[in-house]
């Protein structure tokens, strides 16, 4: 995927279409200056940088899981019509590869996570962990990459993107200290996370949690555990004393309920990791993080 992006970046610079005197509020559905982000939370992060100068739409609808997304023909059309596409990268959006090939490589791509070194997976070898956005400090890097990409795309807006990025980075730093304060309520020995797939690695690294295990092996939602892997996870949970399993609102609860019945752990079913929500509780990236942290603190403290 990286190669495709690099190629597109090269083509994109030549084929670059400029935003024309678009100083007023961005217009939804306008064909001029169409900026697309792959996922809802990325669109929100990018919109904070773009401000009123350009509108950023999400390719995926609210609630869709980018790991498992099956693109529709309209997605290929949307990408073909967009002038700039913002992706997470780090193998998060597998569905985009074929879309980019079909779109003929006319757009330009910003990889938000470019330059961040991925963490080692706890177990498996299923590829790199793309979930950097669960640590707001990495989202600062996303913002810098998006700021630079937007400024290259629309040089006249560079100063606006710079000042919007600064303001949003201040909010992200505030979020980071808020999370530290909340997590401090959890006794260190109870900072244990079990998730559906391995999605909270960067969050765990930053805020001092241990990943006890994941129901679905690896860092994507696509796989299923074997009977042996389920049995091993149940043993890990019993041995660790982890109090809860945390699922994304879009996850199937069946296996978690099965594990809970054998271990007595609580199942928290309403984290929002892969998508924002329409309105509360996760209408923005910052709200999404606050909601997740509150749910984690509530279950573990
Ligand atoms: Zn995930």
């Amino acid at each position: 995927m990286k190669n495709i992006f690099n190629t597109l970046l090269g083509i994109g610079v030549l084929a670059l279409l400029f935003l024309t005197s678009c100083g007023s509020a961005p217009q939804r559905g306008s064909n001029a200056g169409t900026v697309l982000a792959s996922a809802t939370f990325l669109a929100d992060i990018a919109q904070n940088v773009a401000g009123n100068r350009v509108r950023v739409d999400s390719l995926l609808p609210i609630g869709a899981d980018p790991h498992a997304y099956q693109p529709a023909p309209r997605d290929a059309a949307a990408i073909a019509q967009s002038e700039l596409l913002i992706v997470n990268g780090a193998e998060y959006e597998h569905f985009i590869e074929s879309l980019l090939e079909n779109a003929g490589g006319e757009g330009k791509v910003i990889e938000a996570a470019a330059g961040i070194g991925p963490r080692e997976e706890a177990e498996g070898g299923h590829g790199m962990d793309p979930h950097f956005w669960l640590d707001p400090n990495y989202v600062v890097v996303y913002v810098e990459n998006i700021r630079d990409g937007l400024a290259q795309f629309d040089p006249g807006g560079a100063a606006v993107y710079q000042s919007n990025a600064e303001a949003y980075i201040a909010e992200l730093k505030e979020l980071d200290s808020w999370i530290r304060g909340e997590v401090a309520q959890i006794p260190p020995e109870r900072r244990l996370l079990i998730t559906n797939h391995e999605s909270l690695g960067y969050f765990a690294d930053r805020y001092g949690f241990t990943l006890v295990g994941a129901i679905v092996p690896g860092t994507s939602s696509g796989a299923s555990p074997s009977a042996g892997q389920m049995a091993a996870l149940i043993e890990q949970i019993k041995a660790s004393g982890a109090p809860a399993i945390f699922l994304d609102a879009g996850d199937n609860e069946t296996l978690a309920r099965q594990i809970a019945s054998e271990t007595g752990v609580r199942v928290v079913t309403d984290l929002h990791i892969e998508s924002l929500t329409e309105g509360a509780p996760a209408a923005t990236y910052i709200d999404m993080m606050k909601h997740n942290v509150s749910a984690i603190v509530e279950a573990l403290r």
Side-chain angles (χ1 to χ4, degrees), residues 7 30 32 63 89 107 115 118 149 195 216 243 249 275 284-285 299:
T7 309
S30 159
T195 50
V216 175
S275 170
T284 65
Y285 163 74

Side-chain angles (χ1 to χ4, degrees), residues 67 131 197 199 219 274:
H67 290 296
H131 302 89
H197 65 282
S199 55
T219 53
E274 322 283 350

Side-chain angles (χ1 to χ4, degrees), residues 65-67 92 129-131 133-134 197-199 219-221 248 273-274:
D65 174 3
H67 290 296
Y92 186 49
D129 184 343
H131 302 89
W133 65 95
L134 278 303
H197 65 282
E198 213 174 277
S199 55
T219 53
S220 180
S221 55
D248 185 278
I273 290 171
E274 322 283 350

Side-chain angles (χ1 to χ4, degrees), residues 63-200:
D65 174 3
H67 290 296
Y69 187 67
Q70 300 292 324
R74 70 183 136 75
D75 297 323
I79 287 187
Q81 283 162 17
S82 74
E83 291 167 49
L84 187 62
L85 177 65
I86 300 168
V87 299
N88 184 75
E91 301 178 10
Y92 186 49
E93 300 101 335
H94 282 294
F95 68 91
I96 269 183
E97 260 174 85
S98 62
L99 292 181
L100 285 176
E101 280 163 16
N102 293 340
E106 282 172 24
K108 186 168 181 271
V109 176
I110 299 174
E111 194 178 341
I116 307 177
R119 78 193 295 274
E120 295 288 322
E121 256 181 278
E123 51 186 293
H126 299 267
M128 62 177 86
D129 184 343
H131 302 89
F132 302 108
W133 65 95
L134 278 303
D135 175 352
N137 299 281
Y138 284 136
V139 176
V140 170
V141 180
Y142 283 28
V143 166
E144 290 166 348
N145 284 329
I146 291 167
R147 174 199 65 198
D148 294 348
L150 285 173
Q152 206 185 341
F153 169 70
D154 168 29
V160 173
Y161 303 136
Q162 170 71 31
S163 108
N164 290 346
E166 270 171 33
Y168 192 57
I169 286 170
E171 288 187 54
L172 294 171
K173 291 189 169 160
E174 229 171 86
L175 174 64
D176 173 61
S177 39
W178 180 85
I179 296 173
R180 285 177 198 285
E182 291 298 303
V183 167
Q185 299 175 50
I186 308 172
E189 69 277 10
R190 286 173 63 86
R191 291 181 197 167
L192 304 170
L193 295 171
I194 307 157
T195 50
N196 187 60
H197 65 282
E198 213 174 277
S199 55
L200 295 179

